[in-house]
Amino acid sequence: MADTQRKNLLRDLASAARREQETREMSPGRALRLGLARAAAQLYDLPLQVTEVKTSVVGIDAVAGACGEEMLLALLDGPEGARGAVGLSRAMVAALIEVQVMGVVSTLEVRDRVLTPTDAAMVAPWLDGALERVDRSLEEEPAAEPGKPGKDMGWMIGYRFGAMAEEPRALALALDAARFHLLRLTVDVALGRRIGEVLLLLPAPPAAESATHAKGGAPAGESFLQVPAELRVIAGRLSLPLSRAGALQPGDVLPLEGLSMASAELRSVDGSLAGKARLGRMGDHWAVRFGAAEPPAVTQEPRALPARAATGPASMPQAQEAPQEVTGQVELPDLPPMDFDDPPGAEGALMPLATSEDLGNAGFE
């Protein structure tokens, strides 16, 4: 009698799932409901129903906190080296092991014991079967109608069981994505005999890349070309003292000298010159015609005078070459007449030395 009721319930669930698939649009939560239930029914003849699905997006810092300490945690291997994670509550693990070992799910209290890789190996076939059926459901979803936006659910496809993780922190360290889709499912197993929980963490594509692909635009590598660039057109400048600038009132008129509409400057935000511009009008709007930037003026750097060669042990630079000797008579220009007759004044008078003072070598060796 119990077997008959179980088969009837499974048949009703399968019929309801088919009707739901025909009448409703596919979503991540619905794909997981169908995938988990079908895998349990086809592998173990086990009634399973997802009663609640909660979805959110979390950062890598929140991964460890989202995973329960009492969960069986494992990595999921995804396409192109992507990594996700899965967590199963103790009640969910106990139900899957009991149905495989004893053929039924008991109502005994779940023992508080250390979960082992053997437990992970026992639940891996059901988990892979469920994820495979999720992939089929999403791949069979028809494309959106023209003019209507479709849901990009490719981030859910292609994940399979990888390896068990010992604790939430070790699991978080093994993940390399910045953001994750967090799906928390409440599962009714064997008509209420066990109430378990399944947690899925799948990498979320960057927001800029998702929006670009949804619009059919350029890939994420070219998204920097869509960043707004600000250019400033400067037609004239005015310098004011700070006191004058602080005293400006509405209605004051400032004279702009040298204002030229034909030789404005086009500068970037950091002030660098990007080119020349000519101001004008195009219809009812101001317009700017761009021109090439003028090459910077080349200024000749002054020649450095040769350093005087120092003598002694502390001199580091090498002595300069001696100038060539000039032979022959050199004509010097005439100097203007100078008056040497007047005696020097007080400022120019020579001061005799009071005593004979030894000046040493005066800095010369």
Side-chain angles (χ1 to χ4, degrees):
M1 185 65 181
D3 293 340
T4 304
Q5 290 179 351
R6 185 183 296 108
K7 291 180 180 179
N8 292 336
L9 177 60
L10 293 175
R11 185 172 60 253
D12 294 341
L13 289 175
S15 300
R18 285 193 297 269
R19 289 194 301 269
E20 186 180 8
Q21 185 176 7
E22 293 174 357
T23 57
R24 294 181 56 187
E25 180 185 359
M26 185 62 64
S27 65
R30 183 167 174 265
L32 288 171
R33 285 189 176 97
L34 296 175
L36 271 61
R38 290 174 178 174
Q42 295 175 7
L43 292 176
Y44 311 123
D45 198 16
L46 174 66
L48 185 147
Q49 183 179 5
V50 178
T51 59
E52 186 180 15
V53 179
K54 296 180 180 180
T55 62
S56 61
V57 178
V58 298
I60 185 62
D61 297 336
V63 168
C67 301
E69 293 288 344
E70 301 298 322
M71 280 187 164
L72 187 150
L73 303 175
L75 292 172
L76 296 177
D77 295 332
E80 298 181 359
R83 283 186 174 180
V86 62
L88 281 74
S89 65
R90 288 181 175 271
M92 193 71 204
V93 174
L96 292 172
I97 293 178
E98 288 173 351
V99 74
Q100 296 180 70
V101 175
M102 301 185 300
V104 294
V105 177
S106 70
T107 57
L108 299 177
E109 184 179 356
V110 179
R111 292 188 304 165
D112 187 9
R113 61 180 181 85
V114 178
L115 297 173
T116 65
T118 302
D119 299 320
M122 293 287 288
V123 303
W126 169 77
L127 185 61
D128 283 345
L131 294 176
E132 182 181 356
R133 287 162 176 81
V134 169
D135 294 351
R136 291 180 194 168
S137 300
L138 296 177
E139 291 172 351
E140 293 173 0
E141 178 69 8
E145 298 179 8
K148 294 184 179 181
K151 294 183 178 179
D152 183 11
M153 294 179 289
W155 52 270
M156 293 186 62
I157 298 177
Y159 287 89
R160 297 295 183 269
F161 182 87
M164 179 181 173
E166 295 183 357
E167 58 175 352
R169 288 174 294 181
L171 179 71
L173 291 175
L175 301 175
D176 52 5
R179 298 166 63 249
F180 291 86
H181 288 283
L182 172 61
L183 300 101
R184 196 180 296 273
L185 293 77
T186 303
V187 183
D188 184 328
V189 185
L191 305 178
R193 287 177 175 263
R194 298 280 189 200
I195 302 297
E197 186 179 9
V198 178
L199 181 143
L200 280 174
L201 283 163
L202 301 178
E209 182 178 357
S210 300
T212 303
H213 286 301
K215 296 179 181 178
E222 301 178 4
S223 60
F224 68 93
L225 296 177
Q226 303 177 8
V227 177
E230 180 181 347
L231 293 176
R232 299 174 181 176
V233 179
I234 301 176
R237 289 184 176 85
L238 176 65
S239 297
L240 292 176
L242 183 59
S243 58
R244 176 74 177 91
L248 290 176
Q249 299 293 333
D252 290 351
V253 178
L254 299 176
L256 294 177
E257 299 180 358
L259 179 63
S260 176
M261 305 291 286
S263 60
E265 295 180 351
L266 188 66
R267 292 187 176 271
S268 59
V269 179
D270 61 356
S272 59
L273 181 63
K276 293 293 184 178
R278 180 183 181 88
L279 300 180
R281 297 184 65 88
M282 179 178 292
D284 297 333
H285 303 278
W286 287 101
V288 177
R289 174 173 292 176
F290 301 119
E294 295 181 356
V298 179
T299 57
Q300 186 175 3
E301 298 182 357
R303 282 185 170 180
L305 296 175
R308 175 180 296 177
T311 59
S315 61
M316 294 299 296
Q318 299 179 358
Q320 301 292 330
E321 297 181 359
Q324 298 180 359
E325 183 180 358
V326 180
T327 59
Q329 185 177 0
V330 179
E331 296 181 359
L332 298 177
D334 296 334
L335 297 176
M338 296 184 180
D339 190 3
F340 295 98
D341 296 336
D342 296 334
E347 297 180 357
L350 298 177
M351 300 294 295
L353 293 176
T355 60
S356 177
E357 183 178 358
D358 185 10
L359 299 179
N361 57 7
F364 298 97
E365 294 182 359

